[in-house]
Amino acid sequence: MFAYLLRRLLYAIPILLGVNLITFALFFVVNTPDDMARMQLGVKRVTPEAIEKWKTERGYDKPLFLNPAVSGVGVVTDTIFFAKSARMFVGDFGRAEDGRDITREIGLRMGPSLAIALPTFILGLFVTVSFALLLAFFRATYLDFWGVVLCVAMMSISGLFYIIGGQYLVSKLWRLVPISGYAVGLDAWKFLILPVVIGVISGVGASTRWYRTIFLEEIGKDYVRTARAKGLSEPTVLFRHVLRNAMIPILTGVVVVIPLLFMGSLLTESFFGIPGLGSYTIDAIQAQDFAVVRAMVFIGSGLYIAGLILTDISYTFVDPRIRFDR
Amino acid sequence: MRAVRSFFLMLLLTLAACGSEQNDPYPTSERGQSIFYSAFTERPKHLDPAQSYTEDESIFTAQIYEPPLQYHYLKRPYTLVAGTAERVPEPLFLDARGNPLPPEAPSSLVVSSVYEVRIKPGILYQPHPAFATDGNGRLLYAELDAKALRGIDALADFPVTGTRELTADDYIYQIKRLAHPRLHSPIFGMMAAHIVGLKEFGETLALASREQPDAWLDLDRFPLEGVTRVDRYTYRVRLTGRYPQFLYWLAMPFFAPVPREADRFYSQPGMAEKNLTLDWYPVGTGPYMLTENNPNSRMVLSRNPNFRRETYPCEGDDGDSESGLLKDCGKPLPLIETAVFTREKESIPYWNKFLQGYYDASGISSDSFDQAVRLSVGGDVQLSDDMRERGIRLLTSVRASTFYMGFNMLDPVVGGKSGVGEERARKLRQALSIAIDQEEFISIFMNGRGIAAMSPLPPGLFGYEEGEAGINPVVYAWKNGRAQRKSVDEAKKLLAEAGWPNGRDAKTGEPLVLNLDTTSGGMGDKSRLDWLIRQFGKLDIQLVVRATDFNRFQEKLRKGAVQIYFLGWNADYPDPENFFFLLSGSEGQIAHGGENKSNYANAEYDRLFVEMKDMGNTPERLKIVRRMKHILQHDAPWIFGFHPKSYTLGHAWLHNRKPNDVANNILKYQRIDVAERVLRRHEWNAPVLWPLVFLGVGLVFLIVPAVIAYRRRERSIARSTSEH
Amino acid sequence: MKFLPVLLWSDALIWFLAIAGTILGALSWRNAPLRAAWRRVGSSRTGMASATLLSVFLLVGLLDSLHYRPRLESGGQDQPVAYAVEVLSLLDAIAAPLRTRNEKTYSAPLATRAYAKESIEVVDADGRVHAERVFPRLKFGGAHLGNDEGKRAEDVLRRVLSAGGLAFGLLGLVSFGVSIWLARGQKVSPGQSWRLIWKGETEFAWNAVLITLGALLLVLLPVLALCVDYHVFGTDKVGQDVFYQILKSVRTALVIGLVTTLVTLPLAIGLGVLAGYFRGWVDDVIQYLYTTLSSIPGVLLIAAAVLMMQVIIDTHPQWFSTAAERADLRLLALCFILGLTSWTGLCRLLRGETLKLRELEYIQAAQAFGVADLRILLRHILPNLMHIVIIALVMDFSNLVLAEAVLSYVGIGVDPTMISFGTMINNARMELAREPMVWWSLAAAFAFMFALVLAANLFADVVRDAFDPRTAGAS
């Protein structure tokens, strides 16, 4: 187990390097350091000297990947790429172009992001699994049929409509919750309830349908028939046997996304004015703040890899037959 | 099903917790307090007075920093009055040998001008740890190390604060900071051309900074030739030549005081890692101080307890007294205790929160405009009845800015030089100026919130003229007592004269295709593009629009790779020079890297510009300004677009508001009637509960058949398995 | 010639896809299990109903994929022939009244007057001019009514009823034709086959097709009858007909949903099969590649790539002679980027499946006999993966259409000049805040996008059930 984990962790390094390389390539084709300087220095009255100064100061005056002017290791190390990405592996993301420390900022914004994402995730999982179990229970009846139709209809609606419509009805017409905003601590609940409910609703269709298929597949297996033949009641069969055995396929899909919850949701956060990582990312893209985008990509990939590892570990808990030491 | 039930339960709980105003976005503890609520859309990037240059930032910096001068709150046209200074300084003109000259001396003789600023004694800074001293008067937090900084994350974590009297040195220190190599002040390049010795000073600093890249640069160690200290409260600034606009700069935060202690305090190692910088925690003498700084969601300005005694003005324009603007005459400022600014990125929530009474004032986005405002018979704007019933008040003013569609004069077609010829190109530009119906643009896209431009100069500036004298004779004719745009036929005639009858080259028959470059946010919006293409289509000209992101657009302008482009300009200060320089040959983008993106160069215009630049607002100046306007109207290097009007709405409980586009330090004059606000908010925000009840009933209707079906099914499965 | 045909890249690809799809369909007909699966799809009522709806969308999309530049009116005979820079499509030509009849600004569905008041100068009896605030009459909407605006309801009703009658008539005609055709094939009397159809006893779900067709006709014909003289779904901020925009959005959605797979498929199939079949270092490299790509948060990757592509497009204006070509290339690039970011999932699936397949005895045997790897891949592995590929194809379509809306909304989607559901929503979302509310753009975009995605989802479901060996037996 331990050796396996270590291997997986080591494997993460080349992946993160690759991710970094891709971001760099993409971003610097878009933005020459000159562009970044201009963006940051504003539009009015910018002189070429000011741009040069800005670049030198932030270390953007070096070549991108290879520095032929220097000899030895410097060819690789004395470049923007090395200077900017080496430190990320030790958790130092540097500063955003507005001078703020990125690590600190991320720490600040993680809370709001999680405050939305975590309840949405848990509530969503709970609602969809229950709904799917219900459909599986009523399989091959008109309830099941219309339930599936409802799911398909719900997943055919763009997420934008859920947000626009929900905000319009609940906040504007009915005045039940504040339209947007965020507060720290317990006061946050009234800001969170609408985005969380909308988040759950917009995800119900696709997940329910998926879980239902998994359950139905499980129900078709022999052991379920045996269990039923033993005289167990249908709910017992569903909860004891079907749900537990369907855990593995559910876990594969679910555990992977848990770490990514930290990244927040781009749309929800910007619509509801929640100062989380999602809106941080959007702001950074719009302001072409490369340092932040790079940091977010790095963290996102890291979390994804963590999710993969977590998935593997969770298998061993659900199904003790799976072992990783070969 | 259980999930459904728990959701329903949760809603019920919400209901139970419901008083009224369930949608109040602020903590209950803030209710009933003298707090001004507003929003900001863009997060401020810089709060350092040497760097901050955008309007979003000046909402904050202007309340915190006090430059020596300010604009009179009520008087129009905008008048400079003393801020922290004793009086508005009069320049002293010197000739080559340093002898004083009379004010009316010709510009050619004036080699330098000296401004002597004398500030009021006894002004104190806001409480700040940088000033904290121990019993012996030594600074407490001047030599901190990593250990001392442990446990400190925000400015509020320093237990002791102090204050100090404002001195002339603080102003000098800030002028020196404009040249600081690590600060990139946007006006350094321009000021270096005016303040004697600032350029050399910048070079010295750059050298010193390179020697010690990480150390604090004590600016007091380096002398600046053009800026001298006379006594504790007086300093002098020497400029090259005449530069009367300098007074306007003295009213901007660029020339606000920065105490050396604060600069030193923030430069200590370990501070920047904790985001403790002057850029984020400003220190000023102004009426407010920044007490909460979270640019992602909330910025809070609180009253500065050490604020000097300043009172509400007692005189204003005609009509100010009737509209109640003089009621607070003589009261000590500021009138509001705290101002809370919330980040609001999307305009729909912004607008709705204003309507619910959670923002005290709001600008109006184009799309909510119809709801708020209707145009009256006479064409002037009034609030809609609904708004008026709510007691909302509307403030209108034409902003000191202009939007235009510029031609690149180096382009062979629209510019003419080394191409189709100047005369043809000019006629083409004139034809286009007529064809593009700015009035329609304003009415569709700005809901009438603007006036069509006749020249670069917006109303309210010296040289702007109303009525027949002010119209652009190329585009308009004066009929029935108002300006009327010439007909498309006349534009077509001009186009035919230019050699493109019906949009086809008279000789080759090639269709005329023009390219417009724009940003996707500005003109690039789909509906605007469609509209524009239709305007060009009136003359049978094919328009190709190339919308790009802002960086790319700027780059194209820089390289002169555009044909037609769309831009706007906000005045730095209310003087025609600030608009005319955008077309002066010496500012040419390609030739000199300046602000003249059209690369327009007209010898006569340039000569007049140099002459006009340094003049006082005399009749002679007006004459020159008129000449310059006519040259521009005839040459049409721009299609003059419009001057936007700013419409802001304020609730009935917000008093003492007068539109102001030049000054930003206006928060201190405003007053809030808290009781009225509490009442109104309560009245407007009764929650609508029937949907919840409806939802509940609906759920019951869903659950009951489901339960019945469940029972039936369970029985049938049991039967079927037992039959097996 | 009155026009200059223009072949946009996306046109070429769309038509290529249409033809390739037909050929592939024919090929898969020769493969027995696939044929059986297609039969299952054909007998599903939901499947055929959604397929009918989809084919209407497809028809609109294909009509919109034949482009040309109209010739400019020339002043004299000696002038050379010149063509407009505007690129139109066959759909534009058919829908010319919708495209060209623009009002000044907003008007409600079927309105004859504008939605907002305007000052209009009125000349009094004494010759003085004064301004009055009125709802101005629309230039085109209901213009045929002249001064009889009151007759609008009557006119609309008349058109709807006659179009509805026509729809029923057409439906009857088509069903009659189908039953005759079926009767000839199956050697029964037309009456019998008519009964078979409506009882749902034909192998192919004719009843579903005909009912959907009928419903479509009942909706579309009245709309068509009305859109000639009214703005059925109102007009937008600059007075453009919303119905026209909806029609144009269909193509964008189709291109995004279909052309993207052109990028996804070769990558996913090629790499997935290679990794699964050869294992070893090939597998390692490919796994590294897709883990790396899929670990980058999707939106960020897309945003960066879209910005990059925009730079390339902006720095090479000489590549495009018209704005349409530019927008088109941007659309294709978006497809390309979406494809690059979405092949990883399918690739992983195919790799897993190939790993399983290569352990099968007959493939082991083929390897032992020294059959060339390429031959094994083409003859034995690929055909057995086809069902996964087909399922993935149909499943992806709706997701891509939805993704386009979100991306355009965030500002990293299609060219702002290109009409798409995303740009429509983006432009319309502010309208909800207006008072009175402008709801029709959003509602129309919602309804049509919902119909398209719902049909695609339902069809995908049926295809999956039919092709997936695990579920195929059950249904």
Side-chain angles (χ1 to χ4, degrees):
Chain A
M1 185 74 188
F2 180 75
Y4 170 79
L5 278 184
L6 193 72
R7 208 148 38 90
R8 290 298 297 258
L9 282 176
L10 283 179
Y11 187 51
I13 294 175
I15 289 181
L16 287 176
L17 260 180
V19 164
N20 232 330
L21 205 69
I22 293 176
T23 359
F24 250 85
L26 282 178
F27 213 89
F28 276 103
V29 176
V30 184
N31 265 330
T32 59
D34 277 39
D35 286 337
M36 289 169 59
R38 271 202 193 85
M39 193 83 185
Q40 299 308 324
L41 292 173
V43 210
K44 276 180 159 183
R45 310 186 195 272
V46 178
T47 55
E49 295 84 57
I51 288 167
E52 279 311 312
K53 235 162 57 176
W54 187 92
K55 273 162 51 185
T56 322
E57 197 170 289
R58 315 258 156 154
Y60 285 115
D61 53 343
K62 293 173 192 161
L64 268 187
F65 292 110
L66 290 175
N67 192 349
V70 201
S71 60
V73 209
V75 175
V76 184
T77 54
D78 202 16
T79 58
I80 299 183
F81 179 68
F82 188 84
K84 300 278 166 188
S85 51
R87 283 188 313 181
M88 291 214 285
F89 282 91
V90 291
D92 175 10
F93 297 111
R95 348 199 101 244
E97 304 305 351
D98 61 11
R100 289 206 134 185
D101 193 68
I102 295 179
T103 320
R104 224 180 153 71
E105 185 83 12
I106 288 175
L108 277 178
R109 283 171 175 267
M110 215 145 71
S113 271
L114 278 183
I116 292 280
L118 215 58
T120 313
F121 173 74
I122 293 171
L123 200 66
L125 195 65
F126 180 71
V127 168
T128 44
V129 168
S130 335
F131 196 30
L133 270 178
L134 207 68
L135 291 184
F137 178 79
F138 286 115
R139 62 192 170 277
T141 63
Y142 73 99
L143 270 177
D144 179 34
F145 176 76
W146 286 110
V148 173
V149 169
L150 185 72
C151 285
V152 177
M154 283 178 78
M155 62 188 274
S156 304
I157 297 174
S158 170
L160 291 170
F161 287 111
Y162 285 111
I163 298 179
I164 295 175
Q167 217 173 21
Y168 181 77
L169 286 179
V170 180
S171 298
K172 190 178 176 203
L173 285 189
W174 301 338
R175 301 186 284 269
L176 293 174
V177 290
I179 289 170
S180 68
Y182 185 73
V184 187
L186 279 178
D187 280 338
W189 72 271
K190 63 182 173 188
F191 296 103
L192 297 183
I193 187 160
L194 185 61
V196 166
V197 168
I198 288 179
V200 169
I201 291 177
S202 60
V204 154
S207 331
T208 305
R209 212 170 57 130
W210 185 49
Y211 294 150
R212 175 184 163 271
T213 351
I214 292 172
F215 291 145
L216 285 187
E217 224 169 83
E218 224 36 63
I219 285 175
K221 288 191 177 152
D222 284 337
Y223 73 93
V224 179
R225 272 182 219 166
T226 327
R228 224 180 266 142
K230 277 197 303 191
L232 292 179
S233 76
E234 185 69 11
T236 327
V237 174
L238 278 183
F239 282 104
R240 283 266 176 78
H241 300 279
V242 175
L243 187 59
R244 176 175 296 175
N245 285 294
M247 269 324 242
I248 291 191
I250 293 180
L251 274 180
T252 2
V254 163
V255 178
V256 151
V257 296
I258 291 178
L260 287 175
L261 294 179
F262 284 93
M263 299 288 288
S265 147
L266 301 182
L267 278 185
T268 317
E269 285 183 16
S270 66
F271 263 102
F272 289 98
I274 288 152
L277 286 174
S279 59
Y280 191 43
T281 315
I282 284 255
D283 285 355
I285 292 177
Q286 275 162 3
Q288 311 205 344
D289 191 332
F290 176 55
V292 178
V293 172
R294 193 187 54 216
M296 291 309 291
V297 169
F298 190 84
I299 293 175
S301 332
L303 288 174
Y304 177 80
I305 295 166
L308 291 181
I309 298 175
L310 267 183
T311 314
D312 287 349
I313 296 174
S314 61
Y315 282 163
T316 57
F317 285 107
V318 180
D319 188 346
R321 283 168 302 180
I322 299 177
R323 294 227 182 286
F324 291 106
D325 359 53
R326 269 186 266 169
Chain B
M1 199 156 74
R2 196 187 291 166
V4 171
R5 215 179 280 159
S6 67
F7 172 69
F8 184 49
L9 251 172
M10 209 164 63
L11 279 177
L12 270 182
L13 278 178
T14 321
L15 263 180
C18 256
S20 64
E21 292 156 76
Q22 200 47 50
N23 55 355
D24 186 351
Y26 308 114
T28 349
S29 57
E30 283 182 9
R31 282 191 195 168
Q33 293 197 32
S34 167
I35 302 176
F36 171 80
Y37 292 103
S38 182
F40 62 104
T41 36
E42 289 292 316
R43 45 183 281 169
K45 276 187 189 161
H46 300 289
L47 297 175
D48 183 332
Q51 285 175 284
S52 152
Y53 201 6
T54 68
E55 270 185 57
D56 317 318
E57 291 155 5
S58 57
I59 298 173
F60 305 106
T61 51
Q63 324 304 334
I64 297 165
Y65 289 107
E66 282 194 304
L69 304 181
Q70 61 182 345
Y71 289 92
H72 193 283
Y73 185 52
L74 301 172
K75 280 187 192 160
R76 300 291 179 277
Y78 297 106
T79 324
L80 282 174
V81 294
T84 57
E86 293 270 6
R87 69 191 90 78
V88 181
E90 292 284 335
L92 177 71
F93 300 113
L94 303 175
D95 67 7
R97 265 174 284 146
N99 298 325
L101 289 166
E104 64 278 3
S107 291
S108 51
L109 287 182
V110 176
V111 168
S112 60
S113 37
V114 174
Y115 289 78
E116 185 175 292
V117 184
R118 184 169 170 77
I119 54 167
K120 296 168 187 157
I123 298 175
L124 291 181
Y125 277 102
Q126 68 175 72
H128 194 276
F131 302 120
T133 49
D134 58 11
N136 308 325
R138 274 206 345 247
L139 289 177
L140 258 180
Y141 303 119
E143 265 141 55
L144 298 177
D145 47 18
K147 215 174 101 199
L149 273 176
R150 201 174 298 150
I152 284 180
D153 280 314
L155 212 54
D157 294 336
F158 288 99
V160 191
T161 59
T163 185
R164 172 168 75 69
E165 191 188 16
L166 173 72
T167 63
D169 289 311
D170 301 335
Y171 284 97
I172 299 174
Y173 199 82
Q174 164 67 358
I175 297 176
K176 288 180 175 174
R177 289 182 81 239
L178 295 179
H180 199 299
R182 287 175 216 152
L183 287 180
H184 313 291
S185 177
I187 64 162
F188 169 64
M190 208 200 50
M191 280 301 146
H194 290 295
I195 298 179
V196 173
L198 192 64
K199 192 161 185 266
E200 295 74 26
F201 183 75
E203 283 158 11
T204 321
L205 281 190
L207 216 69
S209 160
R210 219 163 296 146
E211 279 163 15
Q212 306 164 283
D214 295 316
W216 173 52
L217 272 185
D218 184 0
L219 301 181
D220 279 352
R221 283 193 306 151
F222 306 90
L224 170 57
E225 193 194 340
V227 182
T228 43
R229 174 185 191 267
V230 179
D231 58 38
R232 187 172 162 84
Y233 301 114
T234 320
Y235 65 100
R236 279 193 199 127
V237 182
R238 191 147 61 88
L239 308 178
T240 40
R242 226 195 257 263
Y243 186 50
Q245 288 84 8
F246 185 66
L247 283 181
Y248 298 121
W249 288 105
L250 284 182
M252 289 197 221
F254 290 116
F255 287 87
V258 167
R260 180 173 173 272
E261 291 92 327
D263 194 27
R264 181 172 172 203
F265 172 79
Y266 286 123
S267 320
Q268 298 177 84
M271 283 282 193
E273 280 73 51
K274 300 187 179 244
N275 286 335
L276 295 172
T277 61
L278 192 61
D279 213 11
W280 284 105
Y281 291 96
V283 192
T285 61
Y288 292 96
M289 53 192 200
L290 193 65
T291 42
E292 190 179 332
N293 180 356
N294 183 359
N296 310 324
S297 62
R298 197 172 140 105
M299 310 275 280
V300 178
L301 292 175
S302 309
R303 176 200 190 81
N304 170 10
N306 299 338
F307 185 54
R308 68 197 165 93
R309 188 174 156 74
E310 191 186 5
T311 54
Y312 193 87
C314 288
E315 45 187 296
D317 266 359
D318 306 338
D320 282 351
S321 157
E322 289 76 48
S323 48
L325 282 171
L326 293 178
K327 261 190 209 151
D328 285 320
C329 157
K331 284 194 187 156
L333 299 177
L335 299 170
I336 293 172
E337 282 298 316
T338 313
V340 173
F341 295 86
T342 313
R343 175 110 193 257
E344 204 69 79
K345 280 204 275 187
E346 297 274 329
S347 52
I348 299 177
Y350 188 169
W351 175 241
N352 285 329
K353 277 191 192 167
F354 170 73
L355 288 185
Q356 292 170 344
Y358 295 121
Y359 289 134
D360 296 324
S362 158
I364 319 177
S365 74
S366 150
D367 283 275
S368 27
F369 190 78
D370 285 352
Q371 183 177 1
V373 167
R374 60 186 176 77
L375 295 148
S376 75
V377 178
D380 52 320
V381 174
Q382 291 178 348
L383 278 179
S384 64
D385 298 335
D386 178 47
M387 296 281 132
R388 246 184 308 174
E389 266 166 41
R390 288 168 172 246
I392 293 172
R393 277 184 296 223
L394 174 73
L395 296 177
T396 335
S397 69
V398 182
R399 301 183 39 172
S401 50
T402 185
F403 284 85
Y404 58 92
M405 207 177 282
F407 296 102
N408 179 8
M409 300 300 280
L410 300 179
D411 183 84
V413 178
V414 298
K417 264 182 207 148
S418 68
V420 299
E422 288 188 35
E423 191 51 36
R424 280 183 72 186
R426 177 178 309 124
K427 289 216 161 118
L428 170 64
R429 294 195 300 268
Q430 289 178 349
L432 284 173
S433 300
I434 296 174
I436 299 178
D437 189 343
Q438 303 294 345
E439 284 80 8
E440 189 176 304
F441 182 89
I442 294 167
S443 98
I444 294 182
F445 295 105
M446 313 190 55
N447 299 84
R449 288 183 300 160
I451 57 169
M454 299 290 171
S455 76
L457 299 185
L461 250 69
F462 179 81
Y464 176 83
E465 283 166 296
E466 302 252 356
E468 191 172 359
I471 67 166
N472 179 353
V474 174
V475 179
Y476 293 89
W478 191 257
K479 272 184 201 155
N480 301 330
R482 60 201 181 105
Q484 201 152 31
R485 184 170 284 274
K486 289 185 180 170
S487 69
V488 177
D489 291 333
E490 275 181 74
K492 281 189 168 169
K493 216 175 82 198
L494 274 171
L495 192 65
E497 283 169 24
W500 286 281
N502 299 320
R504 307 284 291 260
D505 193 306
K507 289 198 201 91
T508 62
E510 284 294 318
L512 179 55
V513 181
L514 296 179
N515 298 301
L516 172 79
D517 281 282
T518 174
T519 52
S520 15
M523 222 40 193
D525 175 352
K526 165 119 187 61
S527 47
R528 294 178 187 217
L529 291 182
D530 290 341
W531 181 86
L532 256 186
I533 289 171
R534 259 192 266 160
Q535 302 300 309
F536 278 71
K538 285 195 228 163
L539 298 180
D540 301 309
I541 295 175
Q542 320 266 330
L543 178 70
V544 178
V545 183
R546 300 189 288 219
T548 65
D549 70 302
F550 194 71
N551 263 344
R552 225 53 52 198
F553 176 64
Q554 289 286 326
E555 186 182 319
K556 281 186 181 173
L557 283 179
R558 255 191 327 275
K559 290 185 180 155
V562 296
Q563 194 167 34
I564 309 176
Y565 63 94
F566 184 79
L567 259 186
W569 177 257
N570 272 327
D572 292 314
Y573 42 81
D575 191 89
E577 181 266 347
N578 200 249
F579 285 90
F580 280 143
F581 90 104
L582 292 171
L583 283 164
S584 97
S586 59
E587 279 283 332
Q589 172 77 63
I590 298 296
H592 305 100
E595 292 287 338
N596 178 355
K597 312 281 185 205
S598 279
N599 300 300
Y600 175 70
N602 178 314
E604 169 75 358
Y605 176 85
D606 289 346
R607 191 185 61 74
L608 290 170
F609 176 73
V610 173
E611 199 174 326
M612 182 273 314
K613 201 163 74 166
D614 304 333
M615 288 173 87
N617 287 343
T618 56
E620 290 86 75
R621 193 179 198 213
L622 185 62
K623 229 180 270 168
I624 297 177
V625 167
R626 269 193 202 138
R627 288 258 303 284
M628 293 175 75
K629 280 202 293 191
H630 280 293
I631 294 175
L632 292 183
Q633 285 161 347
H634 179 68
D635 270 351
W638 291 355
I639 296 175
F640 304 112
F642 53 89
H643 310 297
K645 283 185 194 169
S646 68
Y647 279 26
T648 50
L649 295 171
H651 281 296
W653 56 78
L654 185 61
H655 298 281
N656 299 342
R657 277 171 74 79
K658 182 163 185 173
N660 194 326
D661 285 311
V662 182
N664 289 299
N665 59 343
I666 50 175
L667 188 60
K668 58 182 174 187
Y669 301 106
Q670 301 181 34
R671 180 167 56 83
I672 286 178
D673 184 345
V674 178
E676 166 94 7
R677 178 164 73 185
V678 170
L679 206 73
R680 290 304 185 112
R681 276 193 190 171
H682 186 78
E683 187 183 315
W684 292 342
N685 290 303
V688 180
L689 293 177
W690 64 262
L692 289 185
V693 178
F694 189 77
L695 196 73
V697 173
L699 277 182
V700 170
F701 269 98
L702 270 179
I703 287 168
V704 169
V707 170
I708 294 171
Y710 175 79
R711 291 256 167 80
R712 196 183 299 149
R713 182 154 177 86
E714 190 147 53
R715 244 174 280 137
S716 78
I717 289 177
R719 205 175 308 131
S720 73
T721 36
S722 60
E723 277 163 15
H724 255 286
Chain C
M1 261 211 299
K2 291 283 280 193
F3 59 87
L4 178 74
V6 176
L7 188 68
L8 297 178
W9 277 102
S10 60
D11 292 345
L13 289 176
I14 274 271
W15 285 103
F16 169 76
L17 267 174
I19 294 164
T22 326
I23 293 177
L24 267 181
L27 280 181
S28 66
W29 198 251
R30 294 199 342 219
N31 176 321
L34 290 182
R35 185 168 63 228
W38 282 123
R39 284 231 165 100
R40 279 195 292 273
V41 174
S43 63
S44 151
R45 261 175 261 161
T46 336
M48 281 306 96
S50 48
T52 315
L53 188 57
L54 278 181
S55 50
V56 174
F57 278 113
L58 200 65
L59 180 72
V60 173
L62 285 178
L63 278 181
D64 204 7
S65 297
L66 291 169
H67 284 96
Y68 66 95
R69 284 162 71 177
R71 198 165 85 180
L72 287 175
E73 302 288 329
S74 65
Q77 298 99 324
D78 53 334
Q79 283 192 348
V81 178
Y83 298 97
V85 286
E86 191 181 21
V87 174
L88 297 177
S89 72
L90 194 56
L91 182 78
D92 291 325
I94 297 170
L98 291 180
R99 182 171 59 87
T100 50
R101 298 187 320 170
N102 292 319
E103 308 294 345
K104 192 176 161 199
T105 178
Y106 290 116
S107 70
L110 301 178
T112 55
R113 286 179 176 269
Y115 200 58
K117 279 189 179 171
E118 228 176 82
S119 352
I120 282 183
E121 283 177 1
V122 183
V123 184
D124 289 341
D126 55 355
R128 275 195 309 188
V129 178
H130 78 272
E132 219 172 82
R133 299 280 298 171
V134 290
F135 291 106
R137 188 69 200 270
L138 293 181
K139 238 180 352 192
F140 299 104
H144 65 291
L145 294 172
N147 290 326
D148 293 338
E149 276 178 75
K151 282 200 182 147
R152 185 187 62 166
E154 192 188 321
D155 183 53
V156 169
L157 195 67
R158 193 175 48 77
R159 282 170 193 245
V160 168
L161 285 181
S162 57
L166 187 67
F168 272 111
L170 270 180
L171 180 65
L173 218 63
V174 172
S175 342
F176 186 64
V178 169
S179 55
I180 288 183
W181 182 70
L182 275 184
R184 281 169 99 198
Q186 297 180 335
K187 310 233 159 48
V188 285
S189 78
Q192 239 173 336
S193 77
W194 175 273
R195 271 194 300 280
L196 282 178
I197 288 174
W198 292 112
K199 277 186 185 164
E201 284 166 9
T202 46
E203 194 199 352
F204 186 77
W206 277 112
N207 56 346
V209 173
L210 289 175
I211 289 175
T212 321
L213 200 65
L216 274 173
L217 285 174
L218 262 180
V219 175
L220 284 182
L221 284 183
V223 167
L224 289 179
L226 287 171
C227 76
V228 190
D229 287 309
Y230 296 95
H231 302 292
V232 191
F233 297 113
T235 55
D236 71 353
K237 193 167 181 166
V238 278
Q240 236 182 16
D241 195 292
V242 173
F243 184 49
Y244 172 72
Q245 296 184 22
I246 293 281
L247 289 178
K248 295 293 278 186
S249 304
V250 170
R251 175 180 187 265
T252 318
L254 289 178
V255 171
I256 293 268
L258 295 176
V259 175
T260 304
T261 56
L262 267 185
V263 185
T264 321
L265 281 192
L267 275 177
I269 297 179
L271 294 180
V273 170
L274 284 184
Y277 185 77
F278 289 109
R279 302 198 293 199
W281 68 269
V282 181
D283 191 18
D284 287 340
V285 170
I286 292 172
Q287 274 203 62
Y288 169 73
L289 206 63
Y290 71 61
T291 319
T292 307
L293 261 181
S294 58
S295 76
I296 301 179
V299 182
L300 287 178
L301 186 59
I302 293 172
V306 167
L307 286 174
M308 180 193 77
M309 153 205 87
Q310 221 173 325
V311 173
I312 295 174
I313 289 178
D314 286 340
T315 42
H316 298 91
Q318 69 277 11
W319 290 355
F320 321 101
S321 56
T322 60
E325 283 176 31
R326 224 166 54 94
D328 184 66
L329 199 82
R330 193 165 159 186
L331 176 67
L332 276 189
L334 185 66
C335 293
F336 189 74
I337 291 160
L338 283 173
L340 273 188
T341 51
S342 63
W343 60 274
T344 51
L346 180 59
C347 183
R348 184 175 301 146
L349 263 180
L350 290 176
R351 172 184 166 270
E353 195 65 23
T354 315
L355 273 178
K356 261 190 252 163
L357 283 176
R358 77 184 297 278
E359 300 300 326
L360 292 182
E361 277 163 19
Y362 73 100
I363 291 180
Q364 298 272 325
Q367 277 176 328
F369 283 123
V371 181
D373 285 333
L374 190 68
R375 202 178 154 78
I376 297 181
L377 282 180
L378 288 180
R379 291 298 294 267
H380 300 298
I381 304 241
L382 260 188
N384 285 311
L385 294 174
M386 271 332 268
H387 67 276
I388 297 183
V389 174
I390 292 176
I391 293 172
L393 263 184
V394 288
M395 299 289 276
D396 275 354
F397 177 81
S398 52
N399 287 335
L400 287 168
V401 174
L402 291 177
E404 185 274 330
V406 173
L407 289 179
S408 297
Y409 179 84
V410 183
I412 46 177
V414 297
D415 194 86
T417 57
M418 180 160 255
I419 304 172
S420 80
F421 287 122
T423 44
M424 276 186 77
I425 297 171
N426 191 15
N427 291 336
R429 80 201 155 102
M430 285 299 299
E431 294 167 356
L432 276 188
R434 276 179 175 262
E435 194 80 31
M437 187 169 76
V438 174
W439 49 269
W440 48 85
S441 295
L442 206 61
F446 169 78
F448 278 80
M449 199 172 156
F450 178 66
L452 174 63
V453 178
L454 184 64
N457 271 331
L458 289 174
F459 188 67
D461 259 12
V462 171
V463 168
R464 195 195 49 196
D465 287 347
F467 279 81
D468 195 333
R470 286 178 301 179
T471 54
S475 59

